Amino acid sequence: MHNNILPLGALTSWISETESLHCTEKITSWLCDHNSLTQKLELQFNHFFVEVKQQVYIKPNCTLSPMFKNEDKILVREVFLHCENKPVVFAQTEIPFSTLTEQQAELAEIGKQSLGKILFQDPTMLRGQIEVTEFKQGSLFHQLATDFQQPANHSLWARRSLFYLNNKPLLVSELFLPASGIYDQ
Ligand SMILES: C=C(O[C@@H]1C=C(C(=O)O)C=C[C@H]1O)C(=O)O
C-alpha cells in the first residue's frame, strides 16, 4: 500500500444520505449532519485534539483517490480525532494540487489544527451531498478499531463529502470508531 494509506474510498460502495440507511437513528444523525464534526465533538466531549497520522503527496489512481484520478498529484491527509484520550474518528482528506492554490495553499500546512475549523470559517465554503458506507465485521477498519482497544462486534460506518473553497474541491472521508459513542444504544 502506498505509504500505507488506507484506501477508504475504494474499499467500499457509497450510498447517498437520501437513501434509507440500515442503521439506528443515532448513527444516521451523526452520519448525515452537515455541520462541523469538530464542533460537534468539542460540544459532546472534553479534550478534543487532532493527531496527524500522515500527510503525503501521491499520484492518484483508481484505488487511491478515484474521485481525483485525472489530477496530476493530490495531498492525502490522514488524522485521528481524539476525545477524552481516545481516537473517535479516522479522517482522510484528499486535496488535489489544483485546489492547493491562492489562499487554499495553506491547507497543506495546517498541522494539528482541525481542518474543519478552517473549512467552516471560510465564507466561500460549500459542502456537497454526504455519502455513507457500512463496513461489516471483519473489515480493515475493524482491525484498526481492535488495534485501538475498541473491538467492534457490529458494523462500522463512514461518510464522505466534497467541500469546495473558492469552487475548488477537496474530499473528506470520516470513519466513526466505537469510542465515538455513535454505536451505543
Ligand atoms: C471537516 C471537518 O474537519 C475534521 C478534521 C479533519 C482534519 O483535521 O484533517 C478532517 C476531517 C474532519 O473530521 C469537520 O470538523 O467537520
Side-chain angles (χ1 to χ4, degrees):
M1 198 70 60
H2 184 106
N3 288 303
N4 69 13
I5 291 173
L6 293 166
L8 190 56
L11 274 181
T12 184
S13 54
W14 298 84
I15 60 170
S16 162
E17 62 182 313
T18 57
E19 307 268 329
S20 59
L21 306 178
H22 301 292
C23 60
T24 65
E25 275 184 32
K26 182 173 183 180
I27 293 172
T28 303
S29 70
W30 280 83
L31 291 173
C32 302
D33 187 338
H34 282 241
N35 298 305
S36 167
L37 181 56
T38 295
Q39 191 177 55
K40 191 166 182 168
L41 291 172
E42 286 182 322
L43 288 171
Q44 179 107 0
F45 296 103
N46 296 316
H47 314 306
F48 172 89
F49 70 92
V50 177
E51 174 198 355
V52 180
K53 172 176 176 277
Q54 65 174 339
Q55 189 158 299
V56 290
Y57 292 97
I58 67 164
K59 174 142 187 56
N61 56 46
C62 55
T63 306
L64 293 176
S65 292
M67 192 170 283
F68 298 126
K69 62 183 184 296
N70 298 326
E71 290 281 337
D72 290 337
K73 261 193 169 183
I74 59 162
L75 170 63
V76 178
R77 170 183 166 93
E78 292 187 332
V79 304
F80 293 104
L81 306 186
H82 289 254
C83 293
E84 296 174 7
N85 299 316
K86 285 185 214 153
V88 297
V89 169
F90 166 66
Q92 184 179 78
T93 302
E94 300 157 64
I95 313 176
F97 255 37
S98 52
T99 294
L100 289 169
T101 56
E102 299 154 339
Q103 300 95 315
Q104 282 66 51
E106 67 162 5
L107 293 175
E109 312 295 335
I110 64 170
K112 291 184 177 178
Q113 293 176 78
S114 162
L115 176 65
K117 288 266 167 79
I118 294 161
L119 293 175
F120 284 88
Q121 283 172 358
D122 187 318
T124 70
M125 188 273 277
L126 296 171
R127 183 174 201 163
Q129 196 174 58
I130 290 175
E131 293 177 298
V132 303
T133 195
E134 176 183 10
F135 290 102
K136 298 218 186 274
Q137 287 192 64
S139 80
L140 198 60
F141 298 100
H142 283 77
Q143 184 54 55
L144 182 72
T146 302
D147 293 347
F148 282 126
Q149 289 80 50
Q150 299 180 38
N153 61 0
H154 51 71
S155 294
L156 296 176
W157 288 80
R159 68 179 190 168
R160 72 180 185 179
S161 62
L162 282 166
F163 285 84
Y164 299 88
L165 299 180
N166 276 330
N167 298 316
K168 296 181 289 183
L170 57 130
L171 180 65
V172 177
S173 305
E174 296 150 318
L175 176 101
F176 290 87
L177 292 164
S180 65
I182 75 166
Y183 305 108
D184 300 345
Q185 299 298 336

